């Protein structure tokens, strides 16, 4: 299989698997138990927490582990609404956010929050003038992602955070696709990340919280994570996340150069007839979302069974509905359905990517001939 679905998930790094193994096979103590073994597990979790914090790279806050970034985003939004000062019940977000943000915001709107979903420009970037016009003293929180999972487009998070703070509101950043790939922007009060997007295990995410901006707990119980997120932590998952975070930091310049070379090679191998969805300037280059007039993206994916790539987000692909992100760029249903996403990274080789792109291009041409 040629794996080109790095935005859906990434292969677990060998170093991560190795670091996790003792915590799966031998060291099974509960990290919250007072025994020597419990303390050992707790200490390993604290090292992992530090490493995740260092990978995020922001000052003045702390990291709480969660079961996923979806949970971290739910917690950030619902827990902030729970603690909202009187009179602040507006939530602002962006049309191209992940379902973990959009659906949570919709749910909160159903509970009485006043929700504004801002459109984006045709290149996927938010128009900051639109945001400024919306910001008033009733805004509680603004949620915007740093790197989009479907089109790789980046938003100016620090600038957005500055505007949000001037309005006295909080800023939540979904940095799931940014962590380990680009530098995390300064400014947000809450930052959600996930291990499986940085060559770590699935089933663990984290919320970075600026001191004083901690949301009210969503999950009650044993009082773990300073009473903010109850539930026994998994030392294996935490250690895996920590190892992946450290590796991401060590390898970032190398990974970035590698991805930029891959992007150039992929664009050249695909040849003419393709349009890149989203800004080519403001983007992470391990994500190449492209469309071609008349292409049936779903059929292409079904035909090329030994290449793993997708239509958009893993969730959007499953629903059969055209991607809400591509629709937000102004693409029609047909154009959205004629788009595919290629995601590559640390372990992708130039040869396999070029091979896959040539086959994708050849198949697309064959599809066109068949239609004609
Ligand atoms: N946000 C973005 C941008 C994502 O790409 C994803 C994963 O697809 C998530 C949130 C959810 O992350 P998790 O799989 O950890 O719940």
């Amino acid at each position: 299989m040629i794996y080109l679905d790095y935005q859906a998930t990434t292969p677990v790094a060998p170093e991560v698997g190795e670091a996790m193994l003792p915590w799966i096979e031998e060291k099974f103590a509960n990290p919250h138990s007072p025994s020597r073994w419990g303390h050992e597990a707790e200490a390993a979790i604290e090292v992992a927490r530090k490493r995740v914090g260092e990978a995020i790279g922001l000052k003045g806050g702390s990291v709480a582990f969660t079961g996923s970034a979806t949970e971290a985003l739910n917690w950030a939004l619902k827990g902030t609404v729970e603690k909202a000062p009187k009179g602040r019940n507006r939530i602002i977000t962006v049309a191209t956010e992940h379902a973990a943000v959009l659906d949570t915001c919709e749910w909160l709107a159903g509970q009485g929050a006043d929700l504004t979903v801002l459109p984006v420009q045709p290149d996927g970037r938010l128009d900051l003038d639109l945001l400024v016009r919306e910001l008033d003293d009733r805004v509680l929180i603004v949620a915007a992602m740093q790197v989009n999972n479907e089109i790789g487009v980046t938003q100016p998070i620090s600038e957005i955070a500055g505007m949000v703070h001037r309005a006295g509101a909080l800023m939540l950043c979904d940095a799931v696709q940014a962590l380990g790939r680009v530098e995390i922007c300064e400014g947000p009060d809450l930052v959600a990340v996930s291990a499986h997007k940085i060559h770590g295990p699935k089933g663990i995410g984290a919320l970075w919280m600026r001191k004083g901006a901690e949301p009210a707990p969503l999950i009650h119980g044993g009082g773990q994570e300073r009473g903010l997120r109850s539930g026994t932590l998994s030392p294996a998952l935490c250690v895996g996340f920590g190892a992946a975070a450290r590796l991401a930091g060590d390898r970032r310049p190398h990974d970035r150069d590698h991805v930029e070379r891959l992007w150039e090679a992929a664009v050249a191998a695909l040849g003419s007839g393709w349009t890149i969805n989203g800004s080519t300037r403001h983007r992470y280059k391990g994500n190449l979302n492209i469309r071609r007039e008349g292409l049936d993206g779903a059929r292409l994916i079904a035909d090329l069974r030994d290449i793993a790539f997708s239509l958009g987000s893993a969730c959007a692909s499953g629903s059969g509905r055209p991607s809400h992100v591509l629709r937000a760029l102004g693409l029609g249903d047909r154009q959205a359905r004629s788009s595919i996403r290629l995601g590559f990274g640390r372990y992708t080789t130039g040869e396999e990517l070029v091979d896959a792109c040539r086959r994708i291009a050849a198949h697309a041409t064959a599809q066109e001939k068949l239609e004609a």
Side-chain angles (χ1 to χ4, degrees):
M1 173 177 72
I2 302 179
Y3 186 74
L4 299 180
D5 208 7
Y6 267 62
Q7 278 72 45
T9 196
T10 53
V12 175
E15 295 90 334
V16 168
E18 226 168 86
M20 290 175 69
L21 212 54
W23 299 96
I24 295 170
E25 291 185 339
E26 306 150 35
K27 304 180 181 200
F28 59 84
N30 186 320
H32 314 294
S33 292
S35 69
R36 181 155 66 83
W37 298 278
H39 284 310
E40 189 195 5
E42 188 189 25
I45 287 173
E46 291 317 310
V47 171
R49 193 189 305 282
K50 189 163 166 283
R51 289 182 178 162
V52 173
E54 284 165 356
I56 294 171
L58 301 178
K59 299 268 174 309
S62 60
V63 167
F65 288 113
T66 59
S68 61
T70 299
E71 182 194 324
L73 291 162
N74 266 265
W75 175 24
L77 288 160
K78 293 174 183 170
T80 299
V81 168
E82 172 104 11
K83 278 177 63 174
K86 213 168 161 10
R88 283 203 185 253
N89 81 330
R90 285 193 66 201
I91 301 174
I92 299 180
T93 190
V94 185
T96 48
E97 292 297 300
H98 190 272
V101 166
L102 288 176
D103 286 10
T104 306
C105 289
E106 289 291 347
W107 184 85
L108 284 163
Q111 304 293 306
D114 181 358
L115 174 63
T116 302
V117 181
L118 295 174
V120 292
Q121 303 173 95
D123 68 352
R125 297 264 289 179
L126 178 63
D127 176 353
L128 298 187
D129 289 340
L130 267 187
L131 174 64
V132 166
R133 267 180 259 137
E134 287 293 337
L135 287 168
D136 60 27
D137 60 6
R138 291 171 301 133
V139 176
L140 172 67
I141 187 165
V142 175
M145 70 193 345
Q146 188 173 338
V147 176
N148 187 275
N149 53 308
E150 292 199 35
I151 52 174
V153 169
T154 54
Q155 300 293 355
I157 294 298
S158 298
E159 259 181 272
I160 295 174
M163 295 170 174
V164 170
H165 288 157
R166 282 192 285 283
L170 292 170
M171 164 85 196
L172 163 64
C173 179
D174 174 346
V176 168
Q177 298 286 343
L179 186 69
R181 295 174 176 164
V182 298
E183 199 168 324
I184 302 286
C185 292
E186 292 197 22
D189 305 285
L190 299 159
V191 178
V193 293
S194 181
H196 74 100
K197 310 285 183 176
I198 62 159
H199 305 284
K202 291 167 190 58
I204 182 160
L207 185 65
W208 180 88
M209 304 161 286
R210 189 178 302 290
K211 197 169 169 17
E214 296 88 350
L218 195 66
I219 299 179
H220 301 91
Q224 290 90 348
E225 298 296 78
R226 295 185 291 135
L228 290 169
R229 197 270 187 182
S230 289
T232 304
L233 287 173
S234 158
L237 293 178
C238 294
V239 166
F241 197 176
R246 188 155 93 161
L247 206 58
D250 291 348
R251 297 199 39 139
R252 210 175 72 214
H254 177 271
D255 283 353
R256 191 193 50 221
D257 292 350
H258 180 55
V259 153
E260 287 188 2
R261 278 194 298 271
L262 290 174
W263 163 279
E264 301 298 336
V267 170
L270 283 163
S272 58
W274 300 91
T275 304
I276 295 169
N277 291 324
S279 168
T280 46
R281 182 154 162 246
H282 302 285
R283 69 156 45 248
Y284 166 65
K285 287 200 161 170
N287 178 321
L288 180 54
N289 193 314
I290 43 176
R291 69 176 191 274
R292 188 174 171 127
E293 191 59 38
L295 180 79
D296 181 344
R299 218 175 82 205
L300 192 69
I301 290 170
D303 285 349
L304 294 170
R305 291 180 63 86
D306 60 339
I307 306 174
F309 60 112
S310 66
L311 290 175
S313 74
C315 343
S317 299
S319 73
R321 272 178 281 131
S323 145
H324 72 279
V325 174
L326 297 180
R327 296 299 309 272
L329 303 189
L331 302 193
D333 272 12
R334 262 176 72 85
Q335 286 175 308
R337 288 185 206 279
S338 67
S339 297
I340 54 170
R341 181 186 69 185
L342 308 179
F344 34 84
R346 187 183 298 165
Y347 302 112
T348 314
T349 68
E351 295 81 64
E352 64 180 348
L353 181 61
V354 165
D355 176 29
C357 288
R358 285 192 180 140
R359 284 168 56 203
I360 287 170
H363 246 77
T365 308
Q367 245 192 38
E368 267 166 26
K369 285 196 179 133
L370 218 63
E371 301 284 309

